[in-house]
Amino acid sequence: MNSENISLSEKIVSSSYIRQGSEARRGHEQLIRQLLEQGKCPEHGWSESTIELFLSELALMDSNNFLSNCGVGEREGRVASSLVARRHYRLIHGIGRSGDIAAVQPKAAGSSLLNKLTNSIVLDILRLSGVRSASSCFVVPMATGMSLTLCFLTLRHRRPKARFIIWPRIDQKSCFKAMITAGYEPVVVENVLEGDELRTDLEAVKRKIEELGAENILCVHSTTSCFAPRVPDRLEELATLCSKHNIPHIVNNAYGVQSSKCMHLIQQGSRVGRVDAFVQSLDKNFMVPVGGAIIAGFDDAFIQEISKMYPGRASASPSLDVLITLLTLGASGYKRLLCERKEIYSFLAQELKSLASAHGERLLHTPHNPISLAMSLSGFQGDNDKAVTQLGSMLFTRQVSGARVIPLGKEQTIAGHTFRGFMSHSESYPCPYLNAASAVGITRDDVTLCIKRLDKCLKSLKKEAAKSAPSEPTENQSDCATGE
C-alpha cells in the first residue's frame, strides 16, 4: 500500500494496528530496495512471502496485467489456462526481443527487470564461487550442449576460415554434438593415463595446432567437471597455448560451479592465458528444473555478441527458477550447500574405499577430480563384462540413480565418429569401474543407502559367479585390482 491507502485504512482499523502492519510491509520492501540498489545475491535468504511480493510487483509492470490494456498484436501475453498463468507468476512475455535475448521489452518492464536482475545475481554467485574476474554473463533457456553451440556459432563470424574444433576427449554426447550441430569438425585428442587418472595430452594438442594451422581452428573446447577417472583438463596450459596461437578457448563447465577447484582453474586460465567463455548448467549447479544454462566470460563485448546471436525472444522460466532459488538460499545458504557437498565427497570416498576393499576392489586414485569418484570392478571381468553390465541394471532397479557402471571395450558412433571404449574417456582403460558423484544437494543418507544397496548387489553377483567354474584373473584384472 502507498501512504494514501495506509491513511485511509487507519479510518477503518485502529491506526496502531495499521502502523504495525505497515512497518512489517516496509521490512519486505527494504529487502527489495537493497536488491535493486546492489544487484547482488542477498547474504541471507528471503522468506517466500517476500519473494512472492516481489514477483507480484514485477508482474504488474507487464502489459498483459494492466487493468486497461487493449492488445491487438499477435503476441500479447494471452494465456488460456489460469493454472499456467499462476505457474509463471503471470510473467508471460518472456525475456529479450527478436534481436537480442538481453534486450528490454517496452511492454514487459517487469520481465525485463527480472532478466537483468537474474543475470546480475548469477554473476555475483559465479564470482563468489571462485571466478572473481568474470565480467559478464547471461542466463539462456537452453541446456549446456545447445549453449555451447551458440558460443561456437558466434565465433564463426570472427573466424570465417575455421573448420576444426580441438577437443580433449570426454565421453559425453551433448558436448560432442554441440560441435557437430554448429557445423564444425571435432578433432578428438585422446587423454593420457597418469596413474589411474586420464589427463589432457598437451603435446598432442600442440601437434594438432601445428598440423591444422591456427587460422583453421575455431577454438579449443575444454572441460572441467567430468566423470572419474577422467579429471578436469589442464586449463592453465591450454589457456596459455590458446593465447600464444591466438585461438579462442571455450570451457564446458557443466557442473563445475559447485567445485572451488573447477572455478579456480577457470580463474587461473583467464589470468595466465585465454578463456573466451565458460558455460555451466543451471539444474546441476543450482537445483532447478532442467532447461537453462549460464554463459559467462571475461570480455563484455564477446558475451554480448553471444546473447545477440540467440534468435528471437526466450522463455523466462529458467531465469525465474534460478532467481527464486538464489533469493531463497541467499549467498550464505548457497555457500553452505557447497561446503556440505565437499564434506560429503570425503565421506563418499571413505565409504567407497571401505566397500571396495571388502570386495577385493579399490577406489581409483583420482585426486584431481573434485566431484566424481570411481571404484574398480576388476573381479567382474570376463564373459564380455556381462556381470559389470548386470550390476548397472541391478542398481537401477533398486532405485540407485546416478551411479554409472563402465564396462570395457564398448563402441559408440556419434555423427560418423566411432569412439572405442566409450564412456571410459579412453580407448583402452585398464579395468571396468563404477562411478559415483558428490554433487550439490547430496546428503549423507544418500551415500549410506547407496553403499548398502551396492554392497548387496556385489554380494549377489559373487554368489552367482560362484556357481560357475572359477577362472584365473586376467593380467588386466590383477593390475587394476592392485593399482600396479
Side-chain angles (χ1 to χ4, degrees):
M1 289 189 185
N2 57 32
S3 57
E4 184 179 354
N5 285 342
I6 289 173
S7 297
L8 291 171
S9 299
E10 290 177 348
K11 296 178 181 179
I12 303 171
V13 175
S14 169
S15 60
S16 62
Y17 298 158
I18 294 296
R19 282 196 297 273
Q20 185 180 40
S22 176
E23 285 297 322
R25 181 184 174 89
R26 267 197 289 272
H28 296 288
E29 291 174 341
Q30 186 171 354
L31 291 173
I32 295 171
R33 179 178 61 78
Q34 289 172 352
L35 176 66
L36 294 170
E37 283 178 349
Q38 299 171 7
K40 294 182 177 181
C41 187
E43 181 63 24
H44 303 289
W46 289 5
S47 67
E48 287 189 7
S49 56
T50 304
I51 294 171
E52 288 180 335
L53 172 65
F54 179 49
L55 295 178
S56 177
E57 295 278 357
L58 291 179
L60 290 174
M61 297 168 70
D62 284 2
S63 63
N64 60 292
N65 298 310
F66 292 175
L67 291 177
S68 58
N69 188 64
C70 174
V72 293
E74 84 290 351
R75 181 188 284 118
E76 295 297 333
R78 303 183 182 103
V79 177
S81 168
S82 61
L83 183 62
V84 171
R86 291 199 304 275
R87 174 179 176 248
H88 295 275
Y89 286 90
R90 295 175 292 116
L91 292 158
I92 311 301
H93 281 283
I95 57 175
R97 303 185 73 181
S98 57
D100 184 356
I101 195 176
V104 171
Q105 294 186 63
K107 60 183 176 184
S111 292
S112 299
L113 184 55
L114 179 147
N115 188 27
K116 297 286 187 183
L117 279 174
T118 300
N119 291 342
S120 180
I121 290 171
V122 166
L123 180 61
D124 183 43
I125 290 295
L126 293 180
R127 289 170 174 167
L128 286 174
S129 299
V131 187
R132 296 181 304 279
S133 57
S135 65
S136 183
C137 78
F138 67 98
V139 172
V140 60
M142 303 186 295
T144 310
M146 286 302 294
S147 298
L148 286 166
T149 297
L150 190 65
C151 294
F152 301 145
L153 289 173
T154 305
L155 287 173
R156 181 191 297 275
H157 299 283
R158 294 190 172 195
R159 301 177 73 83
K161 295 181 180 179
R163 293 174 45 214
F164 306 101
I165 296 177
I166 293 180
W167 181 63
R169 176 177 170 176
I170 175 170
D171 290 353
Q172 206 272 342
K173 292 180 183 178
S174 65
C175 52
F176 185 79
K177 288 182 176 179
M179 298 179 283
I180 299 294
T181 302
Y184 290 92
E185 182 179 333
V187 178
V188 182
V189 177
E190 291 291 333
N191 300 300
V192 292
L193 185 64
E194 296 181 8
D196 289 332
E197 293 183 326
L198 290 165
R199 307 207 67 186
T200 315
D201 189 340
L202 291 171
E203 292 304 316
V205 173
K206 292 176 185 177
R207 288 195 297 271
K208 287 297 180 183
I209 292 174
E210 292 172 4
E211 175 188 330
L212 299 171
E215 70 281 359
N216 296 315
I217 299 169
L218 182 79
C219 65
V220 171
H221 176 194
S222 64
T223 305
T224 54
S225 54
C226 54
F227 297 119
R230 196 195 190 280
V231 300
D233 280 319
R234 298 180 187 271
L235 245 67
E236 290 184 50
E237 293 88 341
L238 288 175
T240 301
L241 269 177
C242 289
S243 178
K244 177 182 177 182
H245 295 280
N246 194 28
I247 298 173
H249 183 193
I250 305 295
V251 180
N252 175 7
N253 188 45
Y255 48 100
V257 178
Q258 61 194 278
S259 164
S260 57
K261 183 175 288 187
C262 289
M263 298 299 272
H264 176 73
L265 287 173
I266 294 170
Q267 174 65 29
Q268 287 299 100
S270 72
R271 186 182 67 82
V272 302
R274 178 170 181 171
V275 174
D276 292 74
F278 56 104
V279 179
Q280 37 273 308
S281 164
L282 284 182
D283 62 283
K284 293 175 183 175
N285 292 293
F286 299 102
M287 296 188 290
V288 296
V290 172
I294 304 163
I295 300 176
F298 306 90
D299 176 6
D300 291 355
F302 181 58
I303 300 304
Q304 289 171 13
E305 196 176 333
I306 298 173
S307 74
K308 290 178 180 178
M309 180 61 64
Y310 187 97
R313 288 172 174 81
S315 169
S317 290
S319 295
L320 180 60
D321 290 341
V322 75
L323 175 64
I324 292 172
T325 299
L326 290 175
L327 290 179
T328 300
L329 290 171
S332 61
Y334 188 67
K335 286 186 283 189
R336 184 182 66 252
L337 283 175
L338 300 190
C339 289
E340 289 172 357
R341 184 211 69 80
K342 192 176 289 188
E343 290 171 4
I344 293 176
Y345 173 86
S346 299
F347 177 59
L348 175 61
Q350 180 185 350
E351 292 294 296
L352 270 179
K353 185 176 182 179
S354 298
L355 179 67
S357 179
H359 289 276
E361 302 292 345
R362 67 187 186 88
L363 181 69
L364 300 182
H365 186 60
T366 56
H368 290 97
N369 193 318
I371 299 173
S372 177
L373 295 158
M375 183 185 98
S376 72
L377 296 174
S378 302
F380 299 93
Q381 281 182 260
D383 194 18
N384 240 355
D385 281 348
K386 181 180 177 182
V388 174
T389 305
Q390 187 179 351
L391 176 61
S393 300
M394 292 172 73
L395 288 170
F396 183 76
T397 57
R398 286 159 179 76
Q399 299 182 21
V400 177
S401 60
R404 300 167 73 251
V405 173
I406 314 300
L408 295 179
K410 182 179 178 180
E411 286 195 1
Q412 177 80 43
T413 300
I414 307 172
H417 185 93
T418 299
F419 292 88
R420 294 180 177 83
F422 187 71
M423 293 176 69
S424 68
H425 321 287
S426 169
E427 292 190 344
S428 55
Y429 197 75
C431 66
Y433 58 86
L434 175 141
N435 275 132
S438 175
V440 67
I442 193 172
T443 66
R444 291 178 74 90
D445 286 344
D446 289 329
V447 174
T448 301
L449 197 53
C450 169
I451 295 297
K452 182 179 178 180
R453 292 175 181 175
L454 176 56
D455 184 35
K456 287 183 178 180
C457 290
L458 292 172
K459 287 176 179 175
S460 177
L461 282 175
K462 284 189 173 182
K463 284 181 182 179
E464 289 183 27
K467 296 175 184 177
S468 307
S471 58
E472 292 296 322
T474 65
E475 184 180 345
N476 276 349
Q477 287 175 315
S478 300
D479 287 349
C480 211
T482 61
E484 293 176 358

